[in-house]
Amino acid sequence: MNPVASPLSSLLVADFSRVLAGPFCTMTLGDLGADVVKVERPGGDDTRAWGPPFLDGHSAYYLGVNRNKRSIVLDLHDADDLRAARTLATSADVVVENFRPGTMARFGLDEPTIRLANPAVVYCSITAFGTAGGRDLAGYDLLVQALGGLMSVTGPDPDHPTKVGVAVVDVLAGLFATIGIMSALRERDRSGRGQHVEIDLMSALLSSLANQSANYVLTQQVPRAMGNGHPSIAPYSTFATGDGMIVLAVGNDKQFGALCEVLGIGELGQDERFLTNDLRVRNRMSLHEKLERALAAHPAQYWTTVLSSAGVPAGAVNDIAEAFAYAERLGLQPIRHTEDGDDRLGTQVASPINLSATPVSYRTRAPRLGEHTTNIRAWLANLEAERQTA
């Protein structure tokens, strides 16, 4: 165990979630020290079967979002198992679930019912499209990316809508859920009362569209896909060089001037068509052509080095292996190993959260299905017995 006290080490989290949004949230709470009990149906979390790739029979997908948890298998249709689930939920500081609306109520595990027995609980529900008109809609990340507009602004052009290469909506929803839970816990510190935290994937996406959604809400202009370009910044895209591609992310006039000087086309920085960002955006096609003509003189690696040295944001288009290697060179420690000694299954992508006094911990690998069922059942039985004699 981590010898340094973790910020959430006193919290018990009852995790009824599965797939990605909920497990990503509860893993983050676990990284911060919470005792996370993962409740799985017989057969386990769907992601246990999502592969390849697999490692020693475990899907990498599942292993990547379920560290720092204990697993118990409960069949909520079984009376004894349901009783154990209720004992867990009514004892927990935090309950997280991401079933369709109404599912938890059928088992008496919904927020109002649990709150009667556990007024201080912070109960987090993650849905796809909320609890009103979209309550009966299934919610997979791809579907939300489509319905939520993300695919319409991603891809080479408006005729080829494209999903993001990772289930980014689930991840964002999981992060928003974590923020909501932490806020509710802070309020509980003041008032002693818990509350219901509700997150839906659709709202998480619309909020995270940031400048794209703001552009629409404020001006009624509907953004469209434009490849790797940016609707409001130029040059801000990928560019061909003498060998390979490079990204230029030039965010202000000073950087643009430095770019032109390094490329040996200082006069371009004085061209009236490109004097300001607004003008560069309006004349982006001509600008792109002129920059690629200059970049053709050397390969991408050369330009990355000299431009970065001049303070111009520039870089190669890395694959994921190259990205991890680059992070290593920067000293970011992107890979960690859990403390349980299971170096193979316990190899993990590092949490991005760095706390100076109470760092995140990597205590245990993702649990095998039902790995802790016997111990957790005994613990829950003791809790129930104590209540009955109190």
Side-chain angles (χ1 to χ4, degrees), residues 65-282:
V65 291
N66 285 288
R67 65 173 175 256
N68 289 332
K69 301 178 187 181
R70 297 186 288 160
S71 170
I72 180 173
V73 173
L74 295 176
D75 181 353
L76 299 183
H77 297 280
D78 177 86
D80 289 337
D81 284 8
L82 181 57
R83 186 178 304 111
R86 287 175 175 161
T87 299
L88 175 62
T90 54
S91 303
D93 297 285
V94 177
V95 174
V96 179
E97 60 91 9
N98 61 351
F99 290 98
R100 287 192 188 186
T103 299
M104 293 294 272
R106 292 201 297 271
F107 296 106
L109 293 168
D110 54 304
E111 188 267 342
T113 302
I114 298 303
R115 188 164 305 286
L116 288 174
N118 187 4
V121 70
V122 172
Y123 192 109
C124 178
S125 298
I126 303 173
T127 62
F129 300 100
T131 58
R135 63 180 290 116
D136 295 324
L137 298 177
Y140 285 92
D141 186 274
L142 175 62
L143 180 62
V144 182
Q145 286 199 33
L147 293 173
L150 180 56
M151 290 177 65
S152 76
V153 295
T154 307
D157 55 61
D159 295 327
H160 297 86
T162 305
K163 76 176 182 69
V164 177
V166 69
V168 66
V169 183
D170 276 328
V171 173
L172 289 166
L175 291 173
F176 281 123
T178 305
I179 294 168
I181 289 168
M182 298 294 283
S183 299
L185 288 170
R186 180 69 181 94
E187 170 58 24
R188 189 179 76 166
D189 289 342
R190 288 196 291 255
S191 68
R193 299 188 301 271
Q195 59 185 291
H196 195 184
V197 178
E198 296 182 273
I199 304 292
D200 69 86
L201 272 63
M202 184 72 170
S203 297
L205 173 55
L206 293 177
S207 173
S208 300
L209 287 173
N211 60 296
Q212 296 283 42
S213 54
N215 289 347
Y216 167 69
V217 170
L218 294 171
T219 69
Q220 284 69 60
Q221 295 182 23
V222 179
R224 300 298 183 192
M226 50 186 301
N228 293 321
H230 193 287
S232 305
I233 310 173
Y236 198 97
S237 186
T238 51
F239 295 81
T241 70
D243 181 14
M245 301 292 293
I246 191 173
V247 162
L248 298 178
V250 176
N252 58 53
D253 296 340
K254 180 179 178 181
Q255 291 173 354
F256 180 66
L259 168 66
C260 295
E261 290 298 327
V262 173
L263 294 184
I265 49 174
E267 70 279 1
L268 198 67
Q270 304 304 315
D271 191 313
E272 62 181 12
R273 294 171 296 173
F274 310 125
L275 288 176
T276 66
N277 178 72
D278 175 57
L279 291 169
R280 292 192 290 274
V281 169
R282 295 174 187 274

Side-chain angles (χ1 to χ4, degrees), residues 254-255 258-259 262 304-313:
K254 180 179 178 181
Q255 291 173 354
L259 168 66
V262 173
T304 297
T305 301
V306 298
L307 288 171
S308 296
S309 297
V312 178

Side-chain angles (χ1 to χ4, degrees), residues 53-64 67 335-349 363-366 368:
F54 293 95
L55 181 64
D56 295 344
H58 303 273
S59 80
Y61 198 122
Y62 168 80
L63 292 172
R67 65 173 175 256
I335 297 175
R336 302 294 178 89
H337 297 277
T338 55
E339 299 165 11
D340 53 13
D342 194 334
D343 288 340
R344 188 165 172 82
L345 298 181
T347 301
Q348 295 286 299
V349 179
R363 301 182 302 282
T364 60
R365 53 159 173 76
R368 294 177 173 86

Side-chain angles (χ1 to χ4, degrees), residues 285-304:
M285 297 303 294
S286 176
L287 176 60
H288 196 103
E289 178 184 340
K290 293 179 183 301
L291 291 175
E292 285 198 330
R293 189 179 304 140
L295 288 164
H298 297 287
Q301 185 57 57
Y302 170 85
W303 289 123
T304 297

